[in-house]
Amino acid sequence: RDQPRSRGLGDVYKRQEVRKMKRIGKKLMYMALSLFVIFQVYLFIRFYWIVSCFIPTYSMAPTLLGGDYIIVSMQIPGRRIMNSDSGRLLVHRLKGQREVQRNDVVVFNFPYAEDKEKMIISMNTFYCKRCVGVPGDTCRWCEATGMREVYLPKIGDVLRIDSCNYEHYYKCIEYETGKKMSLKMGQVYLEDSLLESFRFNHKYYFMRGDNFNHSYDSRGWGILPDDFILGVGQMIWFSKDEVTNRISWNRIFRRIE
């Protein structure tokens, strides 16, 4: 009779290797799937909820120091959607948790990063300051020439525009209309038309650094339209001392107030 052939050790090892490779393949597949899901969650959070920003200066000291990394909520006042129309950038904002409030620490596009005489939303330069004035407020501050003040327009506010407040509002009106303003012989013109009053279509804020003696803010460059606001700072998630290059453990996970 024919005797059954016994399996050699080589066959056994081959089968073990095949099973091992299948197990490794399944693990790699599960890892890849998990990483994909994590990446999708990250993208969702990144584009809809929060963003991380680096603080390079001490203009917000002692609240924020150079070397801090902060989490910024885009749900306050709501995520922006930007579209272009005839060369102009239009900003639509989705409904958020709430409006920007007085004392919020706000991250925003610096309006004059690309042109000192014209407001442009530049994605290359962001500032972080404290909101000390909201729409409807009148903000006052001292300069070498004396006391200055500015009213912060609300949507729908109609203000008289004259030679006294021209410097406060002309860049805002140019941003809203896309037209050039000028002051001639004490009279204000929007292109070739005499302008005596203007109805504002945006909300305006006054931003100031906590280290106010060493901060370039609304006292120097003017009031901020709502379109430029990215979000409100919530927490320091990482910090490194810029002098010693050591991690500042005592600042990590500190809430921004």
Side-chain angles (χ1 to χ4, degrees):
R1 294 182 181 178
D2 293 334
Q3 296 294 326
R5 296 169 58 188
S6 60
R7 295 177 182 177
L9 290 176
D11 291 339
V12 174
Y13 289 145
K14 285 181 181 179
R15 291 178 180 274
Q16 289 177 345
E17 286 297 319
V18 169
R19 288 195 293 267
K20 183 178 179 182
M21 292 303 295
K22 285 183 178 179
R23 287 196 299 269
I24 293 175
K26 286 183 179 180
K27 287 181 179 180
L28 290 175
M29 183 182 68
Y30 291 144
M31 287 177 62
L33 181 61
S34 298
L35 289 173
F36 176 77
V37 172
I38 291 171
F39 182 67
Q40 294 301 312
V41 171
Y42 163 76
L43 289 179
F44 181 82
I45 293 173
R46 169 65 178 80
F47 288 107
Y48 289 90
W49 288 347
I50 63 174
V51 66
S52 172
C53 294
F54 172 68
I55 306 298
T57 73
Y58 288 79
S59 68
M60 278 295 292
T63 306
L64 297 174
L65 305 179
D68 286 345
Y69 290 78
I70 67 172
I71 289 176
V72 177
S73 171
M74 294 188 292
Q75 291 299 303
I76 308 173
R79 188 173 70 90
R80 297 178 296 180
I81 297 177
M82 300 184 184
N83 296 299
S84 181
D85 182 21
S86 302
R88 292 193 65 202
L89 187 65
L90 302 179
V91 179
H92 169 68
R93 195 177 293 275
L94 301 179
K95 184 178 180 181
Q97 293 178 356
R98 62 171 175 82
E99 295 291 330
V100 172
Q101 298 175 353
R102 206 177 290 107
N103 290 323
D104 280 343
V105 173
V106 180
V107 174
F108 54 92
N109 304 94
F110 178 53
Y112 305 105
E114 298 183 11
D115 190 330
K116 294 182 179 179
E117 295 299 322
K118 183 180 180 181
M119 289 187 182
I120 299 173
I121 298 179
S122 171
M123 293 302 173
N124 297 322
T125 306
F126 290 85
Y127 275 20
C128 180
K129 306 291 180 183
R130 189 176 297 277
C131 175
V132 297
V134 297
D137 288 352
T138 297
C139 290
R140 299 177 178 85
W141 69 99
C142 291
E143 290 186 350
T145 56
M147 181 70 71
R148 298 194 64 187
E149 69 176 39
V150 61
Y151 173 76
L152 305 177
K154 306 185 301 292
I155 293 176
D157 274 351
V158 178
L159 300 185
R160 178 176 177 81
I161 308 299
D162 54 29
S163 58
C164 296
N165 61 15
Y166 176 83
E167 288 297 322
H168 288 313
Y169 299 121
Y170 83 92
K171 293 177 184 176
C172 304
I173 296 173
E174 287 182 347
Y175 173 73
E176 292 202 13
T177 62
K179 299 178 180 180
K180 191 69 176 175
M181 288 187 66
S182 59
L183 181 63
K184 302 174 183 177
M185 303 294 291
Q187 292 186 311
V188 178
Y189 290 86
L190 183 61
E191 292 191 336
D192 296 327
S193 301
L194 183 66
L195 183 70
E196 295 183 342
S197 63
F198 184 78
R199 180 185 295 275
F200 288 87
N201 296 308
H202 287 272
K203 294 170 283 190
Y204 288 85
Y205 298 85
F206 199 93
M207 303 294 173
R208 191 187 70 188
D210 286 359
N211 190 6
F212 52 85
N213 288 327
H214 301 280
S215 174
Y216 183 47
D217 47 41
S218 287
R219 295 170 296 175
W221 44 259
I223 59 181
L224 183 76
D226 50 9
D227 278 356
F228 288 75
I229 294 175
L230 174 67
V232 172
Q234 302 294 306
M235 180 182 68
I236 300 169
W237 71 268
F238 184 75
S239 182
K240 180 180 285 189
D241 191 297
E242 292 191 320
V243 177
T244 64
N245 205 34
R246 294 179 178 176
I247 296 175
S248 303
W249 294 104
N250 63 322
R251 299 188 59 76
I252 294 178
F253 300 135
R254 180 179 294 184
R255 183 175 176 80
I256 298 174
E257 296 178 345

